[in-house]
Amino acid sequence: LGGRRLVHLGGSSIDAAHFRDRMRAMGVQPLTRPAPRDPPEGMPFPAPGLDSLPDGALPASETETRPPLEEALPGAWHDTPHGRCFATEYRYTLDHQHGSVPLAQLLDLPDETLSHLGRNGDFAGVDRRRLLFFDTETTGLAGGTGTYVFLAGLGFFDGDSFVVRQLFLPDLQSERALLHAFNDLLGRSACLVSFNGRAFDWPLIESRFTLSRMRPIQGAPLHLDLLAPARRVWKDRLPSCALGSLEAHALHFRRRGDVPGWLIPSLYFQYLRGGGINALLPVFEHNRLDVLSLLALAGYMGSLLQAPDAANLESAECYGLARLYEDLDNYEAAVRCYERALQGAISPALRALTLQRLPLAHKKLSHHHEALRIWEELVARETTLVFPYIELAKHYEHHTREYAQAVVLVNRALALCQDPWVRATLPRNTSADLERRRVRLEAKIARAAARPSRKKTVPADTASAGSLP
């Protein structure tokens, strides 16, 4: 067509130049695309995830010159085979108090403390002086290949001190240097300690190693995640089990002017666009306190497991600690904590759960008489809780063979299940299970009534022969 291009609209064709003129006459501006950006010089391969940065977020080498980091932070540059890495370092004596907890508290506890906190025998024998406490600050919370770790806080014991070292990513090209420095400390540690690190921080670290064509020196290191035991103890007491909430309640440590977590990624992107380091100083402080809180929380929770009676705990915390003892098969300590929970102020819902679990813990200790006493007392008070009637019915059916008494208890439980408020708190199949139990008990009663008497008749001569004059 003589080099002319046609645009097809609704089955008809018009000249492309004529189409552009009509669009401009309507006020439509042409769409322009930015030219593709070449990878930074010196990069052996394209930076993974670089395209996921917000518009305008460029590596530091493409921005204006800024004052040296060491002028604003207590750190220095360290040479690695992959370039330079910037690291800050803080040292604390072991008698330093973080809130109400000294940093040495974890070291003063028995050897089985880590196994109890991790609820895993793999932690037995781990040298607590070779623990590596870590927390990361990232460019996003969703994870994935576009999420970078720009600040890694690492805490470890060094002689009579506890050291917090922070590895910073001043530009995206320095990621391999940061990972190399992380690997150096990882190789000297026996176990990682984190707060929700098993689900977020460590998988993200592993993905950054993979994308940087590196690998961690320990592929699957031992990892003690404090979030799981903390939730077990405090989820019924605190509205949130976030580290900041636990700091205020358990460690009696309150931060002032702390930067909110949702703001941290944007502060780093601002730095990458050429902003100064001053905006990131609160992030460094936030990360440093996180690492100190990890050590303090591990020591505090370990002391709770070692001597729960010495701690000033509320009833909800006693219940949570008892659940943690049950996880460890320490039912004697669980019974003491459940009984202590019942002695204080406790919500009706949590009181019902405590009364339900306490007899079961007694049964694990073969204290069947104690479990039976609790159920009988609850039934005698005509409690609206269903489980005492069920448990007593099981006892009458399988141990004393008092089927009629068991049927009475089952009927009372079924009557309670008619209440919609009670039914909402029960497992879905409770009423159906009770109906089946009643049918089975009535069948046993019928068989027992139809069974002929088996009294033995003794002949008179035999009886008289066996008697002495």
Side-chain angles (χ1 to χ4, degrees):
L1 298 176
R4 296 168 60 193
R5 291 188 301 167
L6 299 180
V7 177
H8 298 275
L9 295 175
S12 61
S13 299
I14 63 174
D15 184 81
H18 179 60
F19 177 73
R20 286 197 300 270
D21 292 340
R22 288 177 59 182
M23 292 295 101
R24 286 171 178 166
M26 296 169 60
V28 178
Q29 298 297 324
L31 176 65
T32 58
R33 296 180 180 273
R37 193 169 59 215
D38 294 331
E41 296 182 2
M43 287 289 289
F45 51 88
L50 189 60
D51 293 337
S52 64
L53 288 176
D55 294 339
L58 304 178
S61 60
E62 298 182 21
T63 63
E64 61 187 48
T65 304
R66 290 173 292 203
L69 292 175
E70 55 268 28
E71 291 185 4
L73 292 165
W77 292 94
H78 299 275
D79 293 325
T80 76
H82 305 284
R84 295 199 307 165
C85 174
F86 186 80
T88 69
E89 188 166 296
Y90 302 85
R91 286 184 172 267
Y92 302 89
T93 60
L94 295 183
D95 59 357
H96 175 82
Q97 295 273 140
H98 187 70
S100 60
V101 181
L103 299 184
Q105 185 159 318
L106 181 63
L107 299 178
D108 297 334
L109 296 173
D111 293 336
E112 63 270 14
T113 298
L114 294 182
S115 296
H116 289 171
L117 289 176
R119 297 177 291 181
N120 192 328
D122 292 342
F123 296 102
V126 171
D127 184 0
R128 277 165 289 171
R129 285 190 169 272
R130 293 182 58 207
L131 296 176
L132 182 62
F133 300 82
F134 85 105
D135 182 73
T136 63
E137 308 303 331
T138 66
T139 58
L141 299 178
T145 58
T147 302
Y148 284 79
V149 174
F150 71 85
L151 184 63
L154 304 168
F156 54 93
F157 293 102
D158 183 18
D160 295 331
S161 301
F162 182 73
V163 179
V164 177
R165 184 175 297 171
Q166 295 172 299
L167 309 177
F168 179 57
L169 188 67
D171 53 71
L172 300 183
Q173 300 96 303
S174 302
E175 183 176 37
R176 289 163 65 86
L178 182 148
L179 294 175
H180 179 87
F182 187 99
N183 235 354
D184 182 53
L185 286 176
L186 181 63
R188 290 184 267 164
S189 68
C191 176
L192 292 172
V193 183
S194 69
F195 193 85
N196 197 32
R198 186 182 295 275
F200 180 77
D201 299 80
W202 180 248
L204 183 56
I205 288 286
E206 285 185 310
S207 68
R208 299 318 307 175
F209 269 106
T210 300
L211 292 168
S212 298
R213 300 179 184 178
M214 300 171 66
R215 63 178 58 185
I217 198 169
Q218 296 186 43
L222 277 175
H223 192 157
L224 173 60
D225 193 331
L226 296 177
L227 177 59
R231 277 180 174 167
R232 180 62 95 189
V233 175
W234 284 292
K235 71 175 182 178
D236 295 300
R237 168 61 183 85
L238 301 176
S240 168
C241 285
L243 186 58
S245 178
L246 297 178
E247 286 176 343
H249 178 78
L251 308 181
H252 303 105
F253 177 79
R254 295 188 179 275
R255 305 190 188 197
R256 295 184 178 180
D258 188 36
V259 59
W262 59 266
L263 185 60
I264 289 176
S266 62
L267 292 176
Y268 181 64
F269 289 135
Q270 178 183 340
Y271 172 82
L272 287 183
R273 294 187 186 106
I277 191 63
N278 288 338
L280 277 178
L281 295 183
V283 179
F284 279 83
E285 178 71 1
H286 172 91
N287 180 262
R288 179 184 68 86
L289 295 178
D290 279 352
V291 177
L292 289 176
S293 292
L294 279 176
L295 174 56
L297 183 62
Y300 178 76
M301 294 187 66
S303 65
L304 277 186
L305 289 171
Q306 177 66 19
D309 297 334
N312 183 20
L313 300 178
E314 298 182 18
S315 292
E317 294 171 295
C318 292
Y319 171 82
L321 190 57
R323 293 299 309 277
L324 184 55
Y325 277 125
E326 282 195 63
D327 294 340
L328 302 173
D329 295 332
N330 187 349
Y331 293 101
E332 291 183 358
V335 165
R336 292 198 303 270
C337 287
Y338 282 135
E339 291 176 342
R340 184 178 171 186
L342 292 173
Q343 294 172 2
I346 190 171
S347 67
L350 205 55
R351 180 178 181 83
L353 289 173
T354 305
L355 289 171
Q356 186 170 1
R357 301 202 67 86
L358 176 57
L360 299 179
H362 275 302
K363 287 180 66 177
K364 290 289 186 179
L365 296 170
S366 298
H367 299 164
H368 299 287
H369 60 286
E370 287 293 331
L372 191 61
R373 178 186 60 81
I374 295 173
W375 295 327
E376 288 176 339
E377 287 182 0
L378 290 171
V379 169
R381 297 175 191 170
E382 297 184 351
T383 178
T384 57
L385 301 174
V386 174
F387 71 86
Y389 301 98
I390 297 176
E391 296 297 336
L392 269 185
K394 292 178 182 178
H395 174 77
Y396 287 137
E397 178 182 1
H398 300 297
H399 295 280
T400 65
R401 303 291 195 272
E402 298 177 73
Y403 304 130
Q405 291 290 338
V407 169
V408 172
L409 291 167
V410 168
N411 287 333
R412 292 176 67 180
L414 282 169
L416 287 173
C417 291
Q418 301 305 312
D419 187 332
W421 294 101
V422 174
R423 188 167 58 247
T425 64
L426 299 173
R428 185 169 49 183
N429 297 327
T430 300
S431 296
D433 292 342
L434 285 169
E435 288 288 356
R436 284 192 292 270
R437 184 177 297 277
R438 180 170 64 177
V439 171
R440 185 175 66 248
L441 287 168
E442 290 175 346
K444 289 183 177 182
I445 292 173
R447 285 197 299 269
R451 189 176 299 124
S453 178
R454 296 185 178 179
K455 291 183 179 180
K456 293 184 179 180
T457 57
V458 182
D461 55 348
T462 304
S464 60
S467 58
L468 295 176

